[in-house]
Amino acid sequence: MRRRLFILITVLTLLAAACSGSDSADVAESESGSFDSPAATEAPASAQSPAFDRSDDDSSKAEGETLLGDGGVDAAVVVDLGRDIIFEAWVTVAVEDVGTASSDAVATIERFGGYVFGQETTGAPNPRTTLTFKVRPERFREALAALGDIGELRSQVISADDVTERVVDLESRITTVETSVERLRDLLSKATDMKTIAEIETQLLDRETQLETLRGQLRTIEDRVSLATITLTITETFADPGLDVNVSAYPDADLTGASCPGDSYLEVEEGTEVTVCFEFVNTGDTLLGGFTLRDPVLDVELDDLTLVYGTLDRAIEPGESIMLVATTEVDRTVQTRARITAIPTNPDGEVLEGRAISQTVGISLRALQRTELPGFLDGFEGSIDLLVRIWEGLLLALGAALPFAVVIGVIWGLLRLVRRGRPTKPDPGEGESV
């Protein structure tokens, strides 16, 4: 018995070790396969790239910067896995000649078996064209990277949407509706009653309409899966000037602008001095100079402002900013209205005609009534004022009562005179002798 028990325990131990080894192998295989899963190959939702001073050397790429074609989307791996993925990309590049760049982009896509699906072009003063390309998913990444030679990358967004479950769901629903349609057609062929025929025809029409709708949705998804989409926007270099103006304020007369930027809506007591901050930011791709500013509400111009940082001696480059301040006393509620203009130029200092920028911005400055507690002098002045008012009231009452007193005195005097002139009646007992 002991010998048989030992053999049984040994066999169970070996079986347990074998099962454990099998599970470990499955886990290892699953982990190694996870790097090829669609989730691992999906591109980030958005990838933005700076538009200026880009170098072709990969070592010069800034942290977080994504060059054209980057994003980790390997369509070939996803296609091999049999997943239904919709690949799309939106790219913006800047070039010196929009027309030539458009032709080069079309030729580039045609080399990868793609074609132009749509085009929209705008002329001067801001020439640009938007091209929509279709290309096979397995050539998507190569075609996207090849477009990097067209011009200077401004922005790039890549997406990979897995629609496998949606395709399976649509196919299942289509199969169900097809079965329902066939069943209704069979019932319709056997029906003899006109009412029944009418009801079946109505239901059959609804099912056929639903079936065509589902088939249309499936075809749309399959078309988007079978061909990746690249939307390329080509703009002209130094053709997109931009200026962002921020106006704010904070309490205190401070020409150093230490608390700039302040608030866009400010409430202060009447008579309070505030500092108004004006910030200019070059958000375009051109140099900006020739600034002017005029605020008729504050009655200030550019020459009246104090420079906190930046420079007005030269045109500011893209991304640069200027901060200027002015002080004013808030004696009433106002809405400021500053008009700012700027002139864009190219790197050679030549003015870009027809592209001047102007903006009108402002802030709200609300004046509140003073709420200070009264002091000793305020109380003394209030007491004197009260006494004066009482004295004035007494004089007013005396003046009002005086005419009545005169009238009453006259009436009383007349009554006295009347009483004195009236003869007295003799006493009946007077003059009789005893």
Side-chain angles (χ1 to χ4, degrees):
M1 288 296 294
R2 292 180 180 177
R3 184 176 182 181
R4 291 178 180 177
L5 181 60
F6 175 78
I7 294 173
L8 179 61
I9 293 175
T10 303
V11 171
L12 292 175
T13 303
L14 292 175
L15 289 174
C19 293
S20 176
S22 176
D23 293 340
S24 300
D26 292 339
V27 171
E29 183 180 356
S30 175
E31 292 178 349
S32 63
S34 64
F35 293 100
D36 294 332
S37 64
T41 60
E42 289 186 1
S46 175
Q48 299 296 330
S49 176
F52 315 103
D53 299 332
R54 179 178 299 286
S55 174
D56 293 334
D57 186 2
D58 291 343
S59 62
S60 66
K61 292 195 297 183
E63 182 179 356
E65 183 179 54
T66 303
L67 295 178
L68 200 61
D70 287 352
V73 179
D74 194 346
V77 174
V78 178
V79 172
D80 291 341
L81 291 174
R83 306 292 295 181
D84 293 316
I85 308 293
I86 296 176
F87 292 97
E88 293 182 291
W90 297 265
V91 181
T92 301
V93 296
V95 299
E96 294 183 0
D97 189 339
V98 174
T100 301
S102 300
S103 301
D104 294 342
V106 172
T108 300
I109 290 298
E110 289 178 347
R111 290 203 310 267
F112 294 95
Y115 61 92
V116 179
F117 190 74
Q119 181 174 358
E120 181 181 352
T121 303
T122 303
N126 296 316
R128 63 190 294 128
T129 185
T130 301
L131 296 162
T132 304
F133 299 120
K134 295 288 185 178
V135 68
R136 299 292 300 176
E138 56 269 20
R139 308 300 300 274
F140 172 72
R141 190 170 185 177
E142 296 176 89
L144 191 59
L147 291 175
D149 297 331
I150 299 300
E152 182 184 17
L153 178 64
R154 293 294 173 82
S155 66
Q156 172 184 278
V157 178
I158 303 173
S159 72
D161 186 13
D162 189 344
V163 294
T164 305
E165 294 182 1
R166 188 175 178 186
V167 170
V168 172
D169 178 66
L170 285 173
E171 290 176 344
S172 175
R173 294 170 62 185
I174 289 173
T175 301
T176 302
V177 177
E178 286 177 341
T179 302
S180 177
V181 169
E182 291 299 329
R183 184 169 61 251
L184 288 172
R185 288 174 179 173
D186 183 58
L187 292 174
L188 183 61
S189 65
K190 297 177 182 180
T192 57
D193 181 66
M194 293 301 297
K195 182 179 180 180
T196 303
I197 292 174
E199 293 178 354
I200 295 176
E201 286 181 343
T202 301
Q203 295 182 18
L204 180 60
L205 179 60
D206 292 340
R207 294 294 190 279
E208 289 177 341
T209 302
Q210 184 181 2
L211 179 60
E212 290 303 318
T213 301
L214 294 174
R215 286 174 175 173
Q217 294 177 0
L218 181 60
R219 283 194 301 269
T220 300
I221 293 178
E222 289 177 341
D223 290 342
R224 296 179 64 189
V225 170
S226 62
L227 291 173
T229 303
I230 299 176
T231 302
L232 176 65
T233 301
I234 303 174
T235 63
E236 189 177 63
T237 306
F238 307 120
D240 189 21
L243 175 65
D244 186 14
V245 180
N246 299 313
V247 182
S248 58
Y250 62 90
D252 192 12
D254 178 19
L255 291 179
T256 65
S259 299
C260 287
D263 299 321
S264 59
Y265 178 81
L266 190 63
E267 290 184 349
V268 293
E269 292 185 350
E270 291 179 343
T272 302
E273 290 190 341
V274 300
T275 300
V276 183
C277 313
F278 299 88
E279 184 182 20
F280 306 158
V281 182
N282 186 349
T283 58
D285 65 349
T286 67
L287 298 174
L288 287 181
F291 289 98
T292 64
L293 183 147
R294 169 65 179 162
D295 192 322
V297 177
L298 297 178
D299 193 22
V300 296
E301 297 183 357
L302 188 65
D303 294 339
D304 302 324
L305 305 182
T306 301
L307 183 66
V308 176
Y309 61 77
T311 179
L312 293 173
D313 298 334
R314 59 169 178 82
I316 62 174
E317 298 181 0
E320 279 192 304
S321 60
I322 300 173
M323 180 70 75
L324 304 115
V325 296
T327 60
T328 185
E329 181 178 331
V330 181
D331 54 2
R332 59 189 176 87
T333 299
V334 296
Q335 175 71 38
T336 68
R337 188 174 64 255
R339 180 175 177 80
I340 299 93
T341 62
I343 300 175
T345 63
N346 60 22
D348 297 329
E350 299 174 350
V351 176
L352 301 177
E353 299 294 339
R355 298 178 185 175
I357 301 175
S358 64
Q359 288 190 24
T360 301
V361 294
I363 58 172
S364 297
L365 299 176
R366 184 179 180 186
L368 304 176
Q369 294 183 350
R370 291 184 176 274
T371 57
E372 296 180 356
L373 295 176
F376 172 79
L377 293 178
D378 295 328
F380 181 76
E381 292 176 356
S383 300
I384 297 297
D385 183 67
L386 179 61
L387 291 175
V388 171
R389 290 179 181 275
I390 293 174
W391 175 248
E392 291 176 349
L394 291 175
L395 292 178
L396 180 63
L398 181 61
L402 185 60
F404 294 100
V406 172
V407 172
I408 293 173
V410 171
I411 294 173
W412 182 78
L414 292 175
L415 291 175
R416 296 259 320 163
L417 291 175
V418 170
R419 286 182 179 179
R420 287 181 181 181
R422 180 183 300 173
T424 59
K425 187 176 181 178
D427 190 356
E430 267 184 42
E432 293 184 358
S433 60
V434 178

